[in-house]
Amino acid sequence: MDVNKLKSQLQVEVDTAFLYNSIAAIQSDENLNKVLIALAKIEEGHAQHMLQEIREVEASYTAPNPSTRAKLQLKLGRVFGYSSIISNLAGVEKQLAINTIKDKTKSGEKITGFEHNHLKIIEAVNNNSALNVSGGFLSKFESRHKSVGGNALRAAVLGANDGLVSNMSLVMGVAGAAASNNTILLTGIAGLLAGAISMALGEWLSVQSSRELHLRQIELETVELEASPEEEKKELVLLYQAKGMSEIEAKKLADKAFETKESAIDTLITEELGIDKEELGGSAWEAAITSFLLFSIVAIIPLFPFFFLTGNSAVFASIGSSVVGLFGIGASITLFTGKPVLYSGFRQIVFGLVAAAVTYGIGYLIGVSLAG
């Protein structure tokens, strides 16, 4: 038994319980208050268990008070807002889950799936609009919050930027070396294909890995349900309360969900894991092909003038078309940042031109060196 490690973990449990209780005390929503207090009691139970283990080695050891760090967090939360504390608590719960799984794996103990339950609940609390997290200063700045959805659109915009900037830089680098049009075209097409294939492979791996992870989580959730249905049901009630339901409503909904094993596992997959079963059918190949086509279409922008023009005329036309593309991408990014269109558009142009200038300069130096 590593006593120092246990003492460190005990302090984490004490601090976590202290913060849960402190944030619960400022909640105007009764359900959230109950959920946070319940989480605090769980952490206090963990702390007592660890204290008993430590006392087996040091009989006179007493439980520590909340640390200065935890108290400072709370004081800062009163001024700037408690959202950072909630996020930090989620991080603590995540790390505790990871450590628990590591310890179980090391000792050969079976992983049940219960390890992430507290993390799921605190994340639900954090996403509840009724949660009071505002501080004295923070509340003044919360009037302008944009809810921006569409991760696919966001990925498309960023992917387009990658395709344009990378191939523009490549084309300018080869053009700087005073290569022939045929060489520039060959290099640009090779760069386009290499980048598009890389993006497609990355997207395929991302979607496929996500699906495999979700399937593994569903398998663990099923095992967990079979091993301890009542415990899982209690967790579901807490989760519903964290989302804003009353205790009575939460119990009724949980009872209905647990009428059959099939409905119970479907509910747990949706509520605890946050997995949409329909999304599991999404095609990794579809994502890969879409990514490949998007990258290729945008990466052709700095290259196509060289099909019709030569020399400096082709270079200037390539820069001009790329500038238009960069501005469009910068303007699209404002969907997520809320920044002015002109600011984001011209900022993107500057970044793209700097990258192109650097590669053009390097290409020029290499061309001169080879020629000499």
Side-chain angles (χ1 to χ4, degrees):
M1 186 191 309
D2 189 335
V3 177
N4 289 328
K5 183 179 178 181
L6 276 175
K7 287 179 179 179
S8 175
Q9 190 59 52
L10 174 60
Q11 185 66 66
V12 171
E13 299 288 358
V14 169
D15 288 350
T16 303
F18 166 73
L19 290 171
Y20 278 141
N21 278 321
S22 299
I23 296 176
I26 66 166
Q27 297 307 311
S28 56
D29 185 275
E30 184 180 352
N31 294 318
L32 285 174
N33 176 275
K34 288 181 179 179
V35 171
L36 289 166
I37 289 175
L39 287 170
K41 288 187 181 299
I42 291 171
E43 301 303 335
E44 288 167 358
H46 291 167
Q48 283 298 316
H49 177 72
M50 289 179 184
L51 182 60
Q52 288 173 7
E53 288 191 45
I54 295 171
R55 283 178 174 170
E56 291 177 7
V57 180
E58 298 181 20
S60 60
Y61 190 80
T62 58
N65 293 320
S67 67
T68 303
R69 178 177 177 273
K71 292 176 180 177
L72 180 60
Q73 274 186 289
L74 194 61
K75 287 181 179 179
L76 291 174
R78 288 170 185 153
V79 179
F80 298 105
Y82 297 94
S83 56
S84 60
I85 299 177
I86 296 291
S87 298
N88 182 64
L89 287 171
V92 170
E93 296 292 358
K94 184 176 183 179
Q95 192 57 51
L96 288 173
I98 291 171
N99 290 340
T100 301
I101 290 172
K102 282 183 179 178
D103 290 341
K104 286 185 175 182
T105 302
K106 189 175 180 181
S107 64
E109 188 178 348
K110 187 176 181 181
I111 297 171
T112 64
F114 285 124
E115 296 81 10
H116 286 92
N117 281 356
H118 293 171
L119 174 61
K120 298 166 191 171
I121 293 170
I122 195 60
E123 285 178 341
V125 169
N126 198 22
N127 292 329
N128 192 322
S129 59
L131 180 67
N132 179 10
V133 294
S134 295
F137 294 155
L138 184 69
S139 59
K140 297 177 183 178
F141 299 99
E142 288 191 334
S143 60
R144 188 176 180 272
H145 276 231
K146 289 192 175 183
S147 177
V148 181
N151 287 330
L153 179 59
R154 179 175 176 273
V157 171
L158 297 179
N161 177 69
D162 190 20
L164 179 53
V165 174
S166 63
N167 219 37
M168 177 188 179
S169 299
L170 179 63
V171 167
M172 288 299 110
V174 180
S180 66
N181 257 39
N182 287 339
T183 302
I184 294 173
L185 284 171
L186 179 61
T187 305
I189 292 171
L192 182 154
L193 290 173
I197 291 170
S198 176
M199 287 285 290
L201 179 60
E203 197 67 30
W204 187 90
L205 286 172
S206 175
V207 174
Q208 190 67 20
S209 298
S210 178
R211 180 188 292 110
E212 290 170 358
L213 173 62
H214 287 164
L215 290 173
R216 174 59 177 161
Q217 288 177 316
I218 290 171
E219 181 183 343
L220 285 175
E221 199 67 41
T222 304
V223 171
E224 181 180 331
L225 175 63
E226 292 173 348
S228 184
E230 287 304 315
E231 187 69 24
E232 190 67 11
K233 190 175 179 180
K234 289 177 184 177
E235 296 281 1
L236 184 60
V237 170
L238 269 182
L239 196 57
Y240 282 144
Q241 286 182 265
K243 293 184 176 183
M245 291 185 186
S246 68
E247 187 174 359
I248 295 173
E249 290 174 334
K251 285 182 178 178
K252 284 182 179 178
L253 197 56
D255 286 339
K256 185 172 181 60
F258 273 68
E259 285 178 353
T260 65
K261 179 182 175 181
E262 290 73 19
S263 63
I265 192 61
D266 284 346
T267 302
L268 293 172
I269 289 170
T270 302
E271 298 295 341
E272 288 200 5
L273 301 181
I275 297 173
D276 183 352
K277 290 180 72 174
E278 297 298 324
E279 290 183 358
L280 291 176
S283 171
W285 287 108
E286 181 181 353
I289 292 170
T290 301
S291 180
F292 180 91
L293 291 175
L294 181 66
F295 188 100
S296 301
I297 290 169
V298 179
I300 200 72
I301 291 176
L303 187 61
F304 83 88
F306 290 92
F307 284 99
F308 312 104
L309 302 171
T310 59
N312 288 335
S313 298
V315 171
F316 291 137
S318 176
I319 293 173
S321 60
S322 297
V323 163
V324 174
L326 287 167
F327 185 87
I329 291 170
S332 300
I333 291 173
T334 62
L335 291 170
F336 315 106
T337 63
K339 293 285 186 181
V341 171
L342 290 177
Y343 170 81
S344 293
F346 282 112
R347 180 180 63 179
Q348 203 67 21
I349 289 173
V350 170
F351 290 158
L353 290 180
V354 167
V358 169
T359 54
Y360 185 91
I362 293 172
Y364 177 79
L365 292 175
I366 292 174
V368 170
S369 175
L370 292 176

